Amino acid sequence: MDTIKLTIDQQELEVPAGTTIYHAAKKLGIDIPVLCYMELEDWNIENKPGGCRICVVEVEGRHNLAPSCSTECKDGMVVKTNTPRVMNARRTVMEFILSDHPKDCLTCPKSGSCDLQDMAVRLGVREIPNEDIAEISTYRLDTSPAIIRDIDKCIMCRRCETMCNDVQTVGALSAINRGFESVVTPAFEMNLEASPCTYCGQCVAVCPTAALTEKDYTAEVIRALSDPEKTVIVQTAPAVRAALGEEFGMEAGSLVTGKMVSALRKLGFDKVFDTDFAADLTIIEEGAEILDRLKRSANGDENVRLPILTSCCPGWVNFFEYHFPNLKDIPSSARSPQQMFGSVAKTYFAEKMNVKRENMVVVSVMPCLAKKYESQRDEFKVDNNPDVDYSISTRELAHLMKQANMNLNKLPDEDFDKPLGESTGAGVIFGTTGGVIEAATRTAYELYTGKSLNEKVTFEQLRGWEGIRKAEVDFDGFTLKIGIAHGLGNARKLLEEIEEGKSTYHAIEIMACPGGCIGGGGQPLHHGNASILKKRSEAIYREDAGKKIRKSHENPYIKELYEEYLGEPLGEKAHQLLHTKYFDRSTKRQFKI
Amino acid sequence: MTSVKVKLKQNDIDKIKEICAAHNYEPGELINVLHQTQEYFGYLPAEIQEVISWELNVSAAKVYGVVTFYSYFTMTPKGRYPVSVCTGTACYVRGAENVLEEIKKQLDLQVGETSDDGKYSLSCLRCVGACGLAPVVLVGDKTYGRVAPDDVKGIIDEYKDKD
Ligand code: SF4
Ligand code: SF4
Ligand code: SF4
Ligand code: FES
Ligand code: FES
C-alpha cells in the first residue's frame, strides 16, 4: 500500500494513502475537535459532511484553513493544528453555530451529555457576537410515543441522516431548506409518527444536541411509585446491566446486575423482575414454532414459509410492517420479551398476588426507544389498560437514580425477586447480536435431537460482529442454516433475498440496532466510540458464562408457569398471551397512490 | 414550505411516471425529473413528490429536501396572474425590495404563496435581462419597468376586474 509522509505539529509520521489529517493526527495522540464528523469504526459507518468546520487546521502553502476530517494527507504536507489562527477560526465557527442556537441549556434534556455544549466549553466560548443578525428558527415540537424532535436545536451535522438513511435504510429523515432555516425533518415536515420511522432510536443515539431525544416517562414512573394504591413492578432488559454503569463513570463493559437490582428496590418498586425471564419464555414459544415449521415443511406442507424470522425487536417489527408488508407472515408470531413479561405479569402474577389489573403498574427498563412505542400498541392492551405501562430507557433509569441520590458504585449487590426474576444464560444473551438465535438453538437442538448439549452450550459460529453472518449448526445429521443481521440496512438485504426466492436459511435473527440491544437507542451515549459496544457485548457473554442454568427450557420457574397456568407451548392460552399478529403499515403513508 | 392538498388523477400519475421513465428511473436524475414535472404541472405538491419518490426509489424525505433547497421549486400552484419581482442586482440596487414589500401588502401574500382564490401568486426572480428598466415587475407575460412602490396599486388595479 502507498504510504505518505507528513508533519503534524512538528512531528513526522507515515500514514497509508487516503488517510485524513484528522486520523493522522489521532495516531500522534493529537485530538483535533470534531463536531459533525462521526465514525463507528467496526461497522464502517462514517458521517463526513465536512460542514461544520470545527476541525480546521493550517496546512503550509494553502491559503485557507483545511477541514481535517475531510482532507486527505499529501506527501510532504506540513500541518499545524493549534496555531492562534486555527484556534481563532474554530472559536468563530463555534460562535456562528451558537448564534442561531436556543440558549436554554439549563433546562435542556441534553444538558450534561451534549456534544455542542462540551465543544463550547472546550473552545472557551464566552460570548456570541453574531447573535443579533441570526434568527433562531421556530419549528414546532414533534412528539411521538418514543422520540421528541426539537429541531430548533438542530445544528445540521446530519449524523441522524447517515444513521436513518444509510445504515438503517429507513429514509425517514432529510435535510431541508437553506441557511438559518435548514434542519433535518421527515418528508413534508410531517410528524415522525406519520413517517416511515421505526423508532429504532439510532438517530437519537448520535444526535449531538437535544434536537432528537427520547420521550421521557420518568415523571410518570415517580408518580406511580408514590401512589399507595398501586403495586409497581419493574423488569430490566438484558442489555441494561451491561451499560448502566457507564452513566456512573464506570468502565464500559462493567456488569452491574446486582447493583441495578438494589437501586430499583430502593427506588420503591414492589418487585424487581427480569426481562430475561420473559426472554426464556420467548425461546420456549419461538423454539417450538421453529421446530413446528421445520417439521411441517419436512412433511411437505406447502403452506409453511421458511425462513422463520425472530420477532423480539420492535424496531425491526416496525420496519417490516412498513417496508415489507408482503412478508408479514414469515416472522415468528411470538411477542417480544417486554410484552410477554407484561401480559404474564398482569395475568398470572397479578392473580398470584391477588392484585387487580388496574392496580398493577408494569415498568420496563429498556436499552431501546422502539419499546416505548411497542408498549402503546393496541394489541398489547386489555380494556385499554396496557400490559406494560411505562417503558424507560437505560439513560432514564440513570437520571431517576441520580434524582434519588443514588450512586451505583456504592450500592450492594442484590438478587432479583422470584418468580419472574429467575433467568438462564440463554435469556441474558438476547442483549447482543446473535444471542437470540443462539438461545433458540440451545433449546431447539435438545428438543429436536432428544440429546443433551451438556456443557457445550456455546455456538461460536453464531457470535461475531459482521453485519450479516451465516452459520450452520449440525442437528444430529440435519443441518440448520442460520442467518443473522443487525442494523436494518443489513436486514433489508436478507429480506430482499427472501422476496427474490433466493434465501436458503431456515431461521434468521434480526436486530434493528447495530450490535443488537447493547447498541440500542436508549443506551448511554457512545459519542462515536464503537469499542464501547463491543465491551458491552463481552459483558453479556460473561454474564451468560457465569449462570448455573444456560438453557431456557431448564428454567424451573418457566416450567412452573406452564404447569400452573399456560399449559402447552403454542397452546391456546400461550397463544392468547404470548403471541401477536402484524399489520401492513405501508398504508400509514399520508398519500396513497 | 406552504403546500396545498391535491388529489391526483390517473393521467397525472401516468404523466409523472412517463417523466421518470424518460430518465431511466435514475435516483441521480431527481433534480431533472423534478424540474420537468414542475414545468408540466406548474408546481410540486406533496402528492406528486410521493409518486416521484416511489418511481425513483428515493425516500420522500429526500425528495422534499431537494424541493425545499432550491428556490426554483414550489409546492403551491401559480396564480392565474403570477406576480414576480426581479431581485437581481440591478433591480435590487434600484429599490426592488421596497416594491416587493408594497406588493406583499397590497396582495396580502408572502413570497411563494398563492391567494386563496387562486388569482395571484407572488415570487422573486433572478435578473430577467431587462436591467435597463430596473426595478422590474412581471405579471404573467407583461413587464413593468422602473416600478416605484407608489406604482404598485395601479398595476394591481389593472387585474382587479379580470378573473
Ligand atoms: S442541545 Fe446542548 S447546547 Fe443546545 S440547549 Fe441543549 S444542552 Fe445546550
Ligand atoms: S428512530 Fe430510526 S427510523 Fe426513526 S428517524 Fe431515527 S434512525 Fe430513522
Ligand atoms: S437532528 Fe441532531 S443529528 Fe440530525 S442533523 Fe440535527 S443536530 Fe445533527
Ligand atoms: S468535523 Fe470536520 S467539518 Fe465538521
Ligand atoms: S436585475 Fe432585474 S432585470 Fe436585471
Side-chain angles (χ1 to χ4, degrees):
Chain A
M1 193 194 277
D2 284 357
T3 61
I4 279 170
K5 279 198 186 117
L6 75 163
T7 310
I8 303 179
D9 293 348
Q10 275 110 40
Q11 302 175 68
E12 280 180 25
L13 83 160
E14 227 178 293
V15 294
T19 307
T20 63
I21 299 177
Y22 166 73
H23 283 104
K26 211 170 178 182
K27 282 196 175 168
L28 293 173
I30 300 168
D31 178 21
I32 300 176
V34 288
L35 191 52
C36 66
Y37 181 79
M38 175 194 72
E39 70 175 334
L40 296 173
E41 283 162 71
D42 292 304
W43 298 305
N44 298 318
I45 297 173
E46 198 179 33
N47 180 60
K48 192 157 77 171
C52 77
R53 309 256 146 181
I54 281 288
C55 63
V56 286
V57 293
E58 220 174 292
V59 176
E60 243 179 53
R62 182 178 156 142
H63 69 282
N64 58 353
L65 298 175
S68 62
C69 74
S70 44
T71 307
E72 286 182 10
C73 301
K74 293 216 177 67
D75 231 1
M77 221 180 208
V78 179
V79 177
K80 292 190 186 111
T81 73
N82 55 6
T83 61
R85 182 176 167 213
V86 166
M87 292 196 283
N88 270 329
R90 268 184 208 145
R91 195 169 327 104
T92 307
V93 165
M94 193 60 192
E95 286 165 357
F96 184 71
I97 296 172
L98 292 180
S99 69
D100 76 333
H101 192 84
K103 309 292 184 297
D104 60 345
C105 268
L106 274 178
T107 52
C108 177
K110 206 57 177 282
S111 192
S113 51
C114 173
D115 292 349
L116 185 65
Q117 200 180 48
D118 292 349
M119 192 61 72
V121 172
R122 175 167 173 188
L123 300 184
V125 175
R126 287 294 172 269
E127 57 173 343
I128 300 161
N130 307 321
E131 216 168 351
D132 43 332
I133 60 153
E135 288 172 44
I136 294 180
S137 56
T138 48
Y139 288 94
R140 75 201 151 80
L141 206 66
D142 171 13
T143 307
S144 73
I147 293 171
I148 296 180
R149 293 172 52 247
D150 181 4
I151 50 173
D152 290 342
K153 294 194 169 157
C154 175
I155 57 167
M156 283 299 281
C157 68
R158 309 183 74 166
R159 294 182 191 180
C160 56
E161 269 190 274
T162 296
M163 294 313 283
C164 191
N165 303 337
D166 303 345
V167 178
Q168 302 295 59
T169 66
V170 171
L173 299 173
S174 171
I176 63 158
N177 297 338
R178 308 183 174 226
F180 286 131
E181 290 291 303
S182 56
V183 287
V184 171
T185 78
F188 320 121
E189 287 164 64
M190 62 166 80
N191 288 342
L192 209 53
E193 223 174 331
S195 81
C197 171
T198 66
Y199 299 125
C200 70
Q202 287 304 311
C203 54
V204 176
V206 299
C207 180
T209 72
L212 296 166
T213 54
E214 70 266 42
K215 172 104 172 71
D216 187 314
Y217 291 98
T218 50
E220 284 83 351
V221 171
I222 294 175
R223 206 174 309 130
L225 285 171
S226 58
D227 184 342
E229 300 284 302
K230 306 281 187 201
T231 302
V232 190
I233 66 174
V234 66
Q235 54 166 324
T236 61
V240 177
R241 67 207 64 188
L244 181 65
E246 293 163 32
E247 291 282 342
F248 294 86
M250 293 186 194
E251 229 179 278
S254 305
L255 268 176
V256 296
T257 319
K259 295 183 190 309
M260 172 183 75
V261 172
S262 70
L264 290 165
R265 207 163 272 142
K266 285 194 175 58
L267 280 169
F269 288 100
D270 295 302
K271 295 283 173 194
V272 182
F273 288 142
D274 200 349
T275 313
D276 295 15
F277 171 86
D280 281 334
L281 190 53
T282 305
I283 287 305
I284 304 299
E285 291 295 324
E286 210 167 82
E289 218 183 332
I290 296 179
L291 290 180
D292 177 59
R293 280 206 215 173
L294 284 176
K295 239 177 252 159
R296 282 178 22 218
S297 138
N299 292 336
D301 184 339
E302 303 263 312
N303 294 325
V304 176
R305 291 190 77 174
L306 286 172
I308 186 170
L309 313 176
T310 57
S311 57
C312 39
C313 167
W316 146 237
V317 169
N318 292 340
F319 182 73
F320 75 71
E321 284 188 329
Y322 190 91
H323 290 274
F324 293 87
N326 51 329
L327 298 182
K328 73 178 166 29
D329 52 343
I330 308 194
S332 158
S333 62
R335 294 183 189 181
S336 73
Q338 160 170 283
Q339 293 308 138
M340 284 204 183
F341 180 94
S343 72
V344 168
K346 286 203 175 174
T347 54
Y348 171 71
F349 183 67
E351 282 166 34
K352 240 185 161 69
M353 295 269 290
N354 210 3
V355 176
K356 284 212 203 82
R357 179 179 181 96
E358 56 272 26
N359 284 335
M360 177 170 277
V361 176
V362 175
V363 175
S364 58
V365 185
M366 295 284 143
C368 172
L369 302 187
K371 300 248 169 53
K372 291 175 186 281
Y373 165 79
E374 181 188 41
S375 69
Q376 297 185 12
R377 287 177 82 132
D378 289 338
E379 306 92 274
F380 303 135
K381 287 179 182 159
V382 176
D383 299 330
N384 219 15
N385 176 291
D387 291 343
V388 173
D389 293 83
Y390 307 113
S391 183
I392 63 170
S393 66
T394 310
R395 293 191 294 269
E396 285 166 83
L397 173 60
H399 288 160
L400 208 53
M401 290 171 59
K402 286 173 189 169
Q403 283 176 49
N405 322 320
M406 285 179 204
N407 181 349
L408 194 71
N409 294 280
K410 300 216 171 110
L411 292 174
D413 285 330
E414 289 180 14
D415 285 328
F416 285 107
D417 289 310
K418 303 221 170 358
L420 309 184
E422 184 69 30
S423 69
T424 72
V428 175
I429 55 177
F430 261 60
T432 186
T433 167
V436 176
I437 208 76
E438 179 170 338
T441 302
R442 290 179 190 176
T443 289
Y445 179 92
E446 295 202 347
L447 296 183
Y448 183 89
T449 63
K451 293 184 181 167
S452 170
L453 284 167
N454 297 318
E455 298 306 301
K456 294 202 293 289
V457 292
T458 61
F459 290 87
E460 286 300 332
Q461 68 267 48
L462 301 176
R463 301 184 177 188
W465 220 231
E466 304 78 40
I468 296 178
R469 308 198 290 285
K470 300 173 202 240
E472 295 186 346
V473 178
D474 177 25
F475 269 35
D476 217 10
F478 170 75
T479 308
L480 187 72
K481 293 188 187 143
I482 293 172
I484 296 165
H486 55 127
L488 291 171
N490 294 321
R492 178 185 287 277
K493 289 184 194 142
L494 294 186
L495 291 175
E496 283 169 354
E497 272 181 28
I498 297 174
E499 272 190 329
E500 292 161 13
K502 289 192 201 140
S503 187
T504 55
Y505 302 108
H506 295 114
I508 298 180
E509 176 202 289
I510 295 178
M511 291 288 163
C513 293
C517 302
I518 46 131
Q523 292 281 60
L525 300 171
H526 51 64
H527 296 283
N529 181 354
S531 71
I532 290 180
L533 305 185
K534 260 195 183 152
K535 290 188 186 132
R536 291 180 191 160
S537 177
E538 285 157 18
I540 293 266
Y541 285 123
R542 260 199 334 272
E543 177 106 332
D544 166 39
K547 284 270 192 180
K548 273 204 288 299
I549 309 176
R550 297 177 69 188
K551 291 170 267 184
S552 298
H553 56 289
E554 290 177 357
N555 182 333
Y557 291 91
I558 293 278
K559 290 185 190 163
E560 194 177 290
L561 173 64
Y562 277 99
E563 277 157 23
E564 285 181 14
Y565 197 73
L566 290 173
E568 286 298 307
L570 303 183
E572 199 191 314
K573 190 117 195 173
H575 218 89
Q576 179 200 336
L577 292 178
L578 308 179
H579 290 258
T580 186
K581 53 178 190 291
Y582 307 113
F583 300 89
D584 177 350
R585 287 188 202 263
S586 61
T587 53
K588 128 177 149 174
R589 279 176 175 281
Q590 268 191 336
F591 312 102
K592 278 268 294 205
I593 302 163
Chain B
M1 195 181 255
T2 46
S3 178
V4 289
K5 271 204 172 292
V6 298
K7 231 185 147 76
L8 295 179
K9 293 193 212 64
Q10 189 55 45
N11 54 347
D12 294 338
I13 296 172
D14 292 343
K15 180 67 199 175
I16 303 167
K17 289 187 172 170
E18 190 188 309
I19 295 173
C20 293
H23 289 87
N24 273 326
Y25 306 104
E26 266 299 321
E29 287 289 298
L30 177 60
I31 293 185
N32 293 330
V33 168
L34 288 170
H35 216 97
Q36 229 176 307
T37 313
Q38 176 161 309
E39 224 124 82
Y40 182 84
F41 291 96
Y43 70 122
L44 295 169
E47 292 76 0
I48 286 182
Q49 295 180 42
E50 279 270 324
V51 181
I52 293 175
S53 138
W54 272 110
E55 293 297 308
L56 299 190
N57 199 13
V58 176
S59 76
K62 267 271 136 62
V63 176
Y64 178 71
V66 170
V67 168
T68 55
F69 187 81
Y70 295 100
S71 54
Y72 168 81
F73 295 124
T74 168
M75 288 178 65
T76 43
K78 279 211 177 117
R80 291 188 296 285
Y81 299 100
V83 180
S84 320
V85 181
C86 175
T87 46
T89 316
C91 291
Y92 190 85
V93 172
R94 298 245 198 111
E97 196 77 355
N98 295 334
V99 175
L100 179 64
E101 282 311 312
E102 185 58 27
I103 296 178
K104 281 189 194 167
K105 220 165 44 203
Q106 293 277 339
L107 293 179
D108 193 20
L109 287 179
Q110 293 300 315
V111 175
E113 285 182 349
T114 302
S115 61
D116 291 340
D117 58 5
K119 189 163 178 180
Y120 300 109
S121 57
L122 179 57
S123 63
C124 290
L125 296 174
R126 305 264 161 78
C127 176
V128 294
C131 304
L133 295 175
V136 172
V137 172
L138 298 166
V139 181
D141 294 337
K142 192 159 174 197
T143 309
Y144 299 84
R146 305 219 174 80
V147 181
D150 285 347
D151 304 331
V152 169
K153 191 166 179 328
I155 295 175
I156 288 168
D157 277 348
E158 284 181 36
Y159 300 88
K160 220 158 103 189
D161 298 325
K162 303 189 179 172
D163 34 43

